[in-house]
Short mmCIF file of all heavy atoms in Angstrom, two decimals:
data_model
loop_
_atom_site.label_atom_id
_atom_site.label_comp_id
_atom_site.label_asym_id
_atom_site.label_seq_id
_atom_site.Cartn_x
_atom_site.Cartn_y
_atom_site.Cartn_z
N ASP R 28 53.78 -28.51 -151.71
CA ASP R 28 53.79 -29.32 -150.51
C ASP R 28 54.97 -28.97 -149.63
O ASP R 28 55.01 -29.28 -148.44
CB ASP R 28 53.85 -30.81 -150.86
CG ASP R 28 52.50 -31.32 -151.29
OD1 ASP R 28 51.49 -30.67 -151.06
OD2 ASP R 28 52.49 -32.41 -151.85
N ALA R 29 55.96 -28.33 -150.20
CA ALA R 29 57.11 -27.96 -149.40
C ALA R 29 56.78 -26.90 -148.39
O ALA R 29 57.46 -26.73 -147.39
CB ALA R 29 58.24 -27.50 -150.31
N ALA R 30 55.72 -26.14 -148.67
CA ALA R 30 55.31 -25.09 -147.74
C ALA R 30 54.49 -25.69 -146.63
O ALA R 30 53.67 -26.56 -146.84
CB ALA R 30 54.49 -24.03 -148.49
N HIS R 31 54.72 -25.20 -145.40
CA HIS R 31 53.98 -25.69 -144.25
C HIS R 31 53.39 -24.50 -143.51
O HIS R 31 53.99 -23.99 -142.57
CB HIS R 31 54.89 -26.50 -143.32
CG HIS R 31 55.44 -27.73 -143.97
ND1 HIS R 31 54.69 -28.87 -144.14
CD2 HIS R 31 56.65 -28.00 -144.51
CE1 HIS R 31 55.42 -29.81 -144.74
NE2 HIS R 31 56.61 -29.29 -144.98
N PRO R 32 52.25 -24.01 -143.94
CA PRO R 32 51.66 -22.85 -143.29
C PRO R 32 51.23 -23.20 -141.88
O PRO R 32 50.97 -24.35 -141.56
CB PRO R 32 50.43 -22.54 -144.17
CG PRO R 32 50.11 -23.84 -144.83
CD PRO R 32 51.39 -24.55 -145.02
N PRO R 33 51.18 -22.20 -140.99
CA PRO R 33 50.74 -22.47 -139.62
C PRO R 33 49.31 -22.97 -139.60
O PRO R 33 48.52 -22.72 -140.51
CB PRO R 33 50.87 -21.10 -138.93
CG PRO R 33 50.82 -20.11 -140.05
CD PRO R 33 51.47 -20.78 -141.22
N ALA R 34 49.00 -23.72 -138.53
CA ALA R 34 47.65 -24.27 -138.41
C ALA R 34 46.62 -23.15 -138.37
O ALA R 34 46.77 -22.18 -137.63
CB ALA R 34 47.56 -25.12 -137.15
N GLN R 35 45.59 -23.29 -139.18
CA GLN R 35 44.49 -22.32 -139.22
C GLN R 35 43.18 -23.11 -139.22
O GLN R 35 42.53 -23.25 -140.25
CB GLN R 35 44.59 -21.46 -140.48
CG GLN R 35 45.92 -20.71 -140.62
CD GLN R 35 46.05 -20.05 -141.98
OE1 GLN R 35 45.10 -19.47 -142.49
NE2 GLN R 35 47.22 -20.13 -142.57
N PRO R 36 42.81 -23.66 -138.05
CA PRO R 36 41.65 -24.55 -138.03
C PRO R 36 40.36 -23.92 -138.51
O PRO R 36 39.56 -24.57 -139.17
CB PRO R 36 41.56 -24.96 -136.55
CG PRO R 36 42.37 -23.95 -135.80
CD PRO R 36 43.44 -23.50 -136.74
N ALA R 37 40.14 -22.64 -138.20
CA ALA R 37 38.89 -22.00 -138.62
C ALA R 37 38.79 -21.93 -140.14
O ALA R 37 37.75 -22.27 -140.72
CB ALA R 37 38.79 -20.60 -138.01
N SER R 38 39.87 -21.51 -140.80
CA SER R 38 39.84 -21.44 -142.26
C SER R 38 39.81 -22.84 -142.88
O SER R 38 39.20 -23.05 -143.93
CB SER R 38 41.05 -20.66 -142.79
OG SER R 38 42.26 -21.30 -142.46
N GLY R 39 40.47 -23.81 -142.22
CA GLY R 39 40.42 -25.19 -142.71
C GLY R 39 39.01 -25.74 -142.68
O GLY R 39 38.56 -26.39 -143.63
N ILE R 40 38.29 -25.47 -141.59
CA ILE R 40 36.90 -25.93 -141.47
C ILE R 40 36.02 -25.25 -142.52
O ILE R 40 35.17 -25.88 -143.16
CB ILE R 40 36.37 -25.67 -140.05
CG1 ILE R 40 37.07 -26.59 -139.05
CG2 ILE R 40 34.85 -25.86 -139.99
CD1 ILE R 40 36.81 -26.24 -137.61
N ALA R 41 36.23 -23.95 -142.71
CA ALA R 41 35.46 -23.22 -143.72
C ALA R 41 35.69 -23.79 -145.12
O ALA R 41 34.75 -23.96 -145.90
CB ALA R 41 35.82 -21.73 -143.67
N LEU R 42 36.96 -24.10 -145.43
CA LEU R 42 37.27 -24.68 -146.73
C LEU R 42 36.66 -26.07 -146.87
O LEU R 42 36.17 -26.43 -147.95
CB LEU R 42 38.79 -24.75 -146.92
CG LEU R 42 39.47 -23.43 -147.26
CD1 LEU R 42 40.98 -23.54 -147.05
CD2 LEU R 42 39.17 -23.03 -148.71
N MET R 43 36.67 -26.85 -145.80
CA MET R 43 36.06 -28.18 -145.84
C MET R 43 34.56 -28.07 -146.11
O MET R 43 34.00 -28.82 -146.94
CB MET R 43 36.31 -28.92 -144.53
CG MET R 43 35.56 -30.24 -144.40
SD MET R 43 36.00 -31.46 -145.68
CE MET R 43 37.56 -32.07 -145.03
N LEU R 44 33.88 -27.13 -145.45
CA LEU R 44 32.46 -26.95 -145.68
C LEU R 44 32.18 -26.53 -147.13
O LEU R 44 31.22 -27.00 -147.75
CB LEU R 44 31.90 -25.92 -144.70
CG LEU R 44 31.88 -26.35 -143.23
CD1 LEU R 44 31.43 -25.19 -142.35
CD2 LEU R 44 30.96 -27.55 -143.03
N CYS R 45 33.02 -25.64 -147.65
CA CYS R 45 32.86 -25.22 -149.05
C CYS R 45 33.10 -26.40 -149.99
O CYS R 45 32.38 -26.57 -150.99
CB CYS R 45 33.82 -24.09 -149.38
SG CYS R 45 33.42 -22.51 -148.60
N ALA R 46 34.10 -27.23 -149.68
CA ALA R 46 34.43 -28.38 -150.53
C ALA R 46 33.28 -29.37 -150.58
O ALA R 46 32.85 -29.79 -151.67
CB ALA R 46 35.70 -29.07 -150.02
N VAL R 47 32.75 -29.76 -149.42
CA VAL R 47 31.66 -30.76 -149.42
C VAL R 47 30.38 -30.16 -149.99
O VAL R 47 29.56 -30.89 -150.57
CB VAL R 47 31.43 -31.34 -148.01
CG1 VAL R 47 32.68 -32.06 -147.53
CG2 VAL R 47 31.00 -30.29 -147.02
N GLY R 48 30.21 -28.84 -149.87
CA GLY R 48 29.09 -28.19 -150.53
C GLY R 48 29.21 -28.31 -152.04
O GLY R 48 28.22 -28.58 -152.74
N CYS R 49 30.44 -28.16 -152.56
CA CYS R 49 30.67 -28.33 -153.99
C CYS R 49 30.41 -29.76 -154.42
O CYS R 49 29.81 -30.01 -155.48
CB CYS R 49 32.11 -27.94 -154.34
SG CYS R 49 32.42 -26.17 -154.37
N PHE R 50 30.84 -30.72 -153.60
CA PHE R 50 30.61 -32.13 -153.95
C PHE R 50 29.11 -32.44 -154.03
O PHE R 50 28.66 -33.13 -154.95
CB PHE R 50 31.28 -33.05 -152.93
CG PHE R 50 32.78 -32.94 -152.89
CD1 PHE R 50 33.48 -33.20 -151.73
CD2 PHE R 50 33.49 -32.59 -154.03
CE1 PHE R 50 34.85 -33.10 -151.68
CE2 PHE R 50 34.88 -32.48 -154.01
CZ PHE R 50 35.56 -32.74 -152.83
N ALA R 51 28.34 -31.93 -153.06
CA ALA R 51 26.89 -32.16 -153.07
C ALA R 51 26.25 -31.47 -154.27
O ALA R 51 25.33 -32.02 -154.90
CB ALA R 51 26.27 -31.65 -151.77
N ALA R 52 26.72 -30.26 -154.60
CA ALA R 52 26.18 -29.54 -155.75
C ALA R 52 26.50 -30.29 -157.05
O ALA R 52 25.66 -30.39 -157.95
CB ALA R 52 26.75 -28.13 -155.80
N ALA R 53 27.74 -30.83 -157.16
CA ALA R 53 28.12 -31.59 -158.35
C ALA R 53 27.27 -32.86 -158.48
O ALA R 53 26.86 -33.23 -159.58
CB ALA R 53 29.60 -31.93 -158.30
N ASP R 54 27.01 -33.53 -157.35
CA ASP R 54 26.16 -34.72 -157.40
C ASP R 54 24.74 -34.38 -157.86
O ASP R 54 24.13 -35.11 -158.64
CB ASP R 54 26.11 -35.38 -156.02
CG ASP R 54 27.38 -36.13 -155.68
OD1 ASP R 54 28.15 -36.43 -156.60
OD2 ASP R 54 27.61 -36.41 -154.48
N THR R 55 24.22 -33.26 -157.35
CA THR R 55 22.87 -32.84 -157.73
C THR R 55 22.81 -32.51 -159.22
O THR R 55 21.88 -32.93 -159.93
CB THR R 55 22.43 -31.62 -156.91
OG1 THR R 55 22.51 -31.94 -155.51
CG2 THR R 55 21.00 -31.22 -157.23
N LEU R 56 23.80 -31.75 -159.69
CA LEU R 56 23.85 -31.42 -161.12
C LEU R 56 24.06 -32.67 -161.95
O LEU R 56 23.46 -32.82 -163.03
CB LEU R 56 24.95 -30.40 -161.36
CG LEU R 56 25.09 -29.84 -162.78
CD1 LEU R 56 23.79 -29.23 -163.26
CD2 LEU R 56 26.22 -28.80 -162.83
N GLY R 57 24.90 -33.58 -161.46
CA GLY R 57 25.13 -34.83 -162.17
C GLY R 57 23.87 -35.65 -162.30
O GLY R 57 23.63 -36.28 -163.34
N LYS R 58 23.05 -35.67 -161.26
CA LYS R 58 21.79 -36.43 -161.32
C LYS R 58 20.87 -35.86 -162.40
O LYS R 58 20.19 -36.62 -163.10
CB LYS R 58 21.08 -36.40 -159.96
CG LYS R 58 19.77 -37.17 -159.97
CD LYS R 58 19.17 -37.33 -158.61
CE LYS R 58 17.84 -38.10 -158.68
NZ LYS R 58 18.00 -39.44 -159.26
N ILE R 59 20.86 -34.53 -162.52
CA ILE R 59 20.03 -33.91 -163.55
C ILE R 59 20.54 -34.27 -164.95
O ILE R 59 19.77 -34.66 -165.84
CB ILE R 59 20.00 -32.38 -163.36
CG1 ILE R 59 19.32 -32.01 -162.03
CG2 ILE R 59 19.29 -31.70 -164.53
CD1 ILE R 59 19.45 -30.55 -161.66
N LEU R 60 21.86 -34.16 -165.15
CA LEU R 60 22.44 -34.36 -166.48
C LEU R 60 22.46 -35.82 -166.90
O LEU R 60 22.31 -36.12 -168.10
CB LEU R 60 23.87 -33.80 -166.51
CG LEU R 60 23.98 -32.27 -166.40
CD1 LEU R 60 25.42 -31.85 -166.23
CD2 LEU R 60 23.39 -31.61 -167.65
N VAL R 61 22.63 -36.74 -165.94
CA VAL R 61 22.75 -38.15 -166.32
C VAL R 61 21.42 -38.71 -166.82
O VAL R 61 21.39 -39.79 -167.43
CB VAL R 61 23.27 -38.98 -165.11
CG1 VAL R 61 22.15 -39.30 -164.12
CG2 VAL R 61 23.95 -40.26 -165.59
N ALA R 62 20.34 -37.99 -166.62
CA ALA R 62 19.06 -38.41 -167.18
C ALA R 62 19.03 -38.23 -168.70
O ALA R 62 18.24 -38.88 -169.39
CB ALA R 62 17.91 -37.61 -166.54
N ASP R 63 19.90 -37.34 -169.22
CA ASP R 63 19.89 -37.04 -170.66
C ASP R 63 21.17 -37.44 -171.38
O ASP R 63 21.18 -37.52 -172.62
CB ASP R 63 19.67 -35.54 -170.88
CG ASP R 63 18.33 -35.07 -170.35
OD1 ASP R 63 17.34 -35.79 -170.56
OD2 ASP R 63 18.27 -33.99 -169.72
N TYR R 64 22.26 -37.64 -170.62
CA TYR R 64 23.55 -37.93 -171.25
C TYR R 64 24.19 -39.16 -170.62
O TYR R 64 24.01 -39.42 -169.43
CB TYR R 64 24.50 -36.73 -171.10
CG TYR R 64 24.03 -35.49 -171.81
CD1 TYR R 64 23.39 -34.47 -171.11
CD2 TYR R 64 24.20 -35.35 -173.18
CE1 TYR R 64 22.94 -33.34 -171.77
CE2 TYR R 64 23.75 -34.22 -173.85
CZ TYR R 64 23.13 -33.21 -173.14
OH TYR R 64 22.68 -32.10 -173.79
N PRO R 65 24.97 -39.93 -171.41
CA PRO R 65 25.69 -41.08 -170.86
C PRO R 65 26.68 -40.65 -169.78
O PRO R 65 27.30 -39.58 -169.88
CB PRO R 65 26.42 -41.67 -172.08
CG PRO R 65 25.69 -41.13 -173.27
CD PRO R 65 25.19 -39.77 -172.87
N ALA R 66 26.84 -41.48 -168.77
CA ALA R 66 27.75 -41.16 -167.66
C ALA R 66 29.17 -40.94 -168.17
O ALA R 66 29.88 -40.04 -167.70
CB ALA R 66 27.71 -42.27 -166.62
N LEU R 67 29.61 -41.73 -169.14
CA LEU R 67 30.98 -41.61 -169.63
C LEU R 67 31.20 -40.28 -170.35
O LEU R 67 32.29 -39.70 -170.30
CB LEU R 67 31.31 -42.78 -170.56
CG LEU R 67 31.48 -44.13 -169.85
CD1 LEU R 67 31.53 -45.27 -170.86
CD2 LEU R 67 32.73 -44.12 -168.99
N GLN R 68 30.18 -39.77 -171.04
CA GLN R 68 30.30 -38.46 -171.67
C GLN R 68 30.43 -37.37 -170.62
O GLN R 68 31.24 -36.45 -170.76
CB GLN R 68 29.10 -38.19 -172.57
CG GLN R 68 29.16 -36.84 -173.27
CD GLN R 68 28.03 -36.63 -174.26
OE1 GLN R 68 27.39 -37.59 -174.69
NE2 GLN R 68 27.77 -35.39 -174.63
N LEU R 69 29.63 -37.46 -169.58
CA LEU R 69 29.72 -36.47 -168.50
C LEU R 69 31.08 -36.52 -167.83
O LEU R 69 31.66 -35.47 -167.49
CB LEU R 69 28.61 -36.73 -167.47
CG LEU R 69 27.17 -36.58 -167.95
CD1 LEU R 69 26.20 -36.87 -166.81
CD2 LEU R 69 26.93 -35.16 -168.48
#
């Protein structure tokens, strides 16, 4: 956190899109797995 890189809005937006894509993918995979396994185990 001590580092303060210069603003890079294009790369920040790209990373945000990748992040929310991962969240949606994890939710989709979680929906598949929670049908067979307890939520706490997952």
Side-chain angles (χ1 to χ4, degrees):
D28 282 344
H31 297 283
Q35 303 171 41
S38 63
I40 291 169
L42 283 165
M43 173 60 79
L44 292 174
C45 289
V47 298
C49 285
F50 296 151
D54 285 342
T55 304
L56 185 55
K58 180 171 179 59
I59 296 171
L60 292 171
V61 80
D63 298 318
Y64 296 100
L67 288 169
Q68 180 175 342
L69 297 180

